[in-house]
Amino acid sequence: MVRARRSAIPLAAHITPSSDRRALYDQLSGSAKVITMIDSTESFTQLPGTLRRWISYERELLDRGRDWSRCNPDYTNLPEKFTAEGSGIFRIPAFWLPEKHVQVFNELEAPELLEPQYIRVRNGQREVLYLLHPALRDDFSRLAGSMGCLDRSLQLLGITTASERTLLVWSNSGKCDPFFAKLSLPFQIGGVDRTISPTIASRSVGTSSILRLSEPLMPATFGFLPEVLAVSPRDKRLGSLIVRPVPASILSGERCLVPMFALYAKRTGRAPLLRRVARKCGLTDRECVQIHILRAFAQQWLDLVLDGGFIPEAHAQNLLLETDNSLAPTGRLIHRDLEGFYVDLDFRAKAGLPVPKWLPKARGLLENYNQKPHRWSSRLQRSLYNYFQGGLLFNFENVLPRGRPSPQESFEVEFQEELCKQLHKRVEVHIDPASNSFHEDLVNAILDHRSFQGEGLQANLPLSVK
């Protein structure tokens, strides 16, 4: 296993809980223990094989390396036993909370995914499933229990993925399908408090709705993991829950997903997993990266930005390679964790692109969906320079050196050349891939192309969205 480049930072050093949350810690310190870690993995082995393999890549081939000159420090004050490197299987307490105690954000385009697994009617009252992260132990259980009822019959178990907030959850009693639960954590990870606000929760589900509605127009290489439901208790001391179903193709065993970091993670005495994937398609390791990742993402990124008004957050944790069950690539790159996946609603309105008739929001639409045109330039640069190049290609270059490559032979330069080639094909604009101002030139070319006339957001979006 590749250990995280992290240091355990005391809680008080980087985050000061609000007074009500601190009081809650003190007030509930004596509550009965509900959340425990268990040793048995028997129930985990009953899950579909490709799902178990995916989770093993998340945990056993976890590599958090990146170009630290471009990315935020990766420290955390979360106890190690709750990280992918140190955790086992946890019992996850499940609460059914009446709708009056929560804000519910869901994809209206896909209501069949919600009932009865996540929403039920009991005694004439609609209730919503709510889960707590095991790192909160029993401190928040009494608070959640005061609003609803603890359902022990579900017998939910969970295991941490590469993201400490996101757990694969399944029922030991077989009462529900496996799903991913993104849970709030009042801890700092990478310098950010990981409590999920109602704004983030609603935006994630709304972005998922837009992507689902746009699927027929998306490039063939694009895929994403939908986020179909978010639950935000009205008591702000409890953060939100976001539900991400496991794709049917994974449950059926037809497909497997490999996080990008798992491809280059070092394995003692063994070649990186990339070697096995490359051999499945008759390529060298470097050719596999060039064809199935570098070129595929360059074209996909331009399609998303130029045609859809999207900006992905495609770093090594959020971008996954889809393969068949033998690890042969299918040609698709899958995006997950839609919190940082930006959508320009004004662009889509002007271009006549589909937008759901209803978008979930916890505050005003423009604020909820981060509609700040002056930040487009920085978002575009961060998407490439920081996330994809600094957090992904950088690592492939370190693992797959070609002798002592000159700068012209690096993945980064090859990627920039591919972007220039694809951009010229699309909009007949030429920029120099070796220029020191490459990213600025690329962004300016994209913004110039996007500058067409049309009415603004307020005139084009449905009234129910305003």
Side-chain angles (χ1 to χ4, degrees):
M1 179 186 298
V2 180
R3 286 290 173 185
R5 180 175 176 176
R6 292 182 166 203
S7 58
I9 308 296
L11 183 65
H14 290 288
I15 179 172
T16 304
S18 61
S19 58
D20 58 350
R21 189 174 293 157
R22 186 186 297 279
L24 184 68
Y25 290 150
D26 298 336
Q27 174 186 349
L28 303 182
S29 59
S31 59
K33 291 193 174 182
V34 177
I35 305 174
T36 56
M37 187 163 64
I38 64 176
D39 296 325
S40 173
T41 59
E42 180 179 353
S43 64
F44 182 72
T45 62
Q46 304 304 311
L47 296 175
T50 49
L51 178 56
R52 286 185 280 115
R53 194 192 309 169
W54 175 8
I55 297 302
S56 73
Y57 298 151
E58 296 272 345
R59 297 165 54 81
E60 297 171 19
L61 297 181
L62 176 55
D63 188 324
R64 301 186 193 271
R66 65 199 70 177
D67 184 348
W68 298 102
S69 67
R70 309 186 194 193
C71 306
N72 292 332
D74 200 26
Y75 63 77
T76 179
N77 49 34
L78 181 69
E80 185 177 9
K81 67 180 179 179
F82 299 113
T83 66
E85 293 89 344
S87 70
I89 296 174
F90 295 91
R91 301 186 193 280
I92 307 295
F95 298 88
W96 289 102
L97 304 184
E99 278 192 319
K100 66 181 180 181
H101 290 313
V102 298
Q103 289 177 284
V104 180
F105 309 107
N106 63 278
E107 278 192 354
L108 294 186
E109 302 290 337
E112 72 280 358
L113 295 175
L114 303 180
E115 300 180 6
Q117 181 157 323
Y118 309 113
I119 299 176
R120 73 178 187 182
V121 177
R122 187 173 70 100
N123 299 328
Q125 177 176 251
R126 282 171 61 87
E127 297 177 328
V128 185
L129 184 68
Y130 179 75
L131 311 179
L132 284 174
H133 194 285
L136 302 181
R137 298 203 305 269
D138 53 329
D139 289 345
F140 284 79
S141 296
R142 185 181 295 177
L143 180 60
S146 69
M147 295 186 291
C149 63
L150 175 66
D151 188 345
R152 297 182 185 273
S153 69
L154 285 177
Q155 299 180 37
L156 292 187
L157 301 176
I159 191 167
T160 307
T161 65
S163 168
E164 288 84 351
R165 286 191 296 180
T166 304
L167 282 72
L168 173 66
V169 177
W170 68 96
S171 172
N172 202 28
S173 64
K175 289 189 174 182
C176 66
D177 292 331
F179 63 96
F180 291 99
K182 183 176 177 180
L183 306 172
S184 284
L185 275 175
F187 294 90
Q188 280 205 356
I189 300 173
V192 179
D193 182 359
R194 299 298 174 162
T195 301
I196 303 173
S197 68
T199 300
I200 291 174
S202 58
R203 183 172 70 241
S204 298
V205 174
T207 300
S208 182
S209 297
I210 296 171
L211 288 171
R212 188 189 294 275
L213 195 61
S214 304
E215 280 185 299
L217 304 175
M218 289 297 206
T221 61
F222 177 83
F224 75 104
L225 299 183
E227 299 186 342
V228 299
L229 173 71
V231 181
S232 300
R234 297 193 183 279
D235 189 320
K236 302 308 180 200
R237 293 174 292 181
L238 291 170
S240 303
L241 154 73
I242 298 175
V243 170
R244 189 185 302 156
V246 177
S249 60
I250 302 293
L251 295 176
S252 69
E254 298 174 25
R255 295 286 184 263
C256 187
L257 293 180
V258 184
M260 286 295 164
F261 59 73
L263 291 172
Y264 56 71
K266 295 178 181 179
R267 303 192 291 178
T268 305
R270 303 174 66 186
L273 185 65
L274 175 65
R275 178 75 47 82
R276 183 177 170 189
V277 174
R279 286 178 176 173
K280 286 292 180 180
C281 43
L283 301 171
T284 66
D285 296 356
R286 199 168 189 93
E287 289 171 339
C288 185
V289 173
Q290 290 168 329
I291 294 172
H292 291 287
I293 299 174
L294 186 153
R295 294 173 192 168
F297 183 76
Q299 182 174 349
Q300 183 187 107
W301 188 85
L302 284 173
D303 286 343
L304 291 172
V305 169
L306 292 174
D307 298 336
F310 298 114
I311 305 179
E313 189 176 285
H315 50 66
Q317 182 172 294
N318 283 0
L319 191 65
L320 304 97
L321 180 71
E322 184 183 72
T323 73
D324 63 17
N325 58 15
S326 73
L327 278 186
T330 65
R332 295 211 309 161
L333 299 175
I334 309 300
H335 297 254
R336 67 174 169 187
D337 197 351
L338 302 179
E339 176 181 334
F341 201 109
Y342 179 75
V343 183
D344 187 337
L345 295 176
D346 187 38
F347 174 89
R348 295 185 65 81
K350 290 175 180 177
L353 295 170
V355 175
K357 294 180 180 179
W358 180 88
L359 279 176
K361 59 183 185 294
R363 53 207 320 176
L365 179 72
L366 301 183
E367 184 178 5
N368 203 102
Y369 286 84
N370 270 334
Q371 301 298 293
K372 300 175 181 177
H374 64 281
R375 295 187 61 185
W376 246 90
S377 176
S378 61
R379 285 192 177 111
L380 287 167
Q381 291 200 49
R382 188 165 61 248
S383 175
L384 289 182
Y385 180 76
N386 299 89
Y387 293 138
F388 186 75
Q389 293 178 272
L392 200 160
L393 288 186
F394 171 83
N395 293 291
F396 279 117
E397 197 66 70
N398 286 341
V399 172
L400 300 175
R402 187 167 60 184
R404 289 183 175 274
S406 65
Q408 288 72 33
E409 296 173 319
S410 71
F411 280 138
E412 185 154 12
V413 171
E414 288 185 37
F415 176 64
Q416 293 180 183
E417 289 175 346
E418 185 66 25
L419 279 172
C420 292
K421 175 183 174 182
Q422 295 291 340
L423 183 67
H424 185 265
K425 184 185 300 184
R426 290 287 306 275
V427 300
E428 297 184 351
V429 171
H430 174 73
I431 59 177
D432 182 0
S435 170
N436 290 332
S437 60
F438 166 77
H439 291 91
E440 182 180 349
D441 295 341
L442 177 67
V443 168
N444 288 336
I446 291 172
L447 294 180
D448 288 343
H449 177 73
R450 284 165 40 89
S451 299
F452 58 85
Q453 294 192 355
E455 293 182 356
L457 175 65
Q458 297 298 323
N460 284 271
L461 288 181
L463 291 175
S464 58
V465 181
K466 293 179 181 177

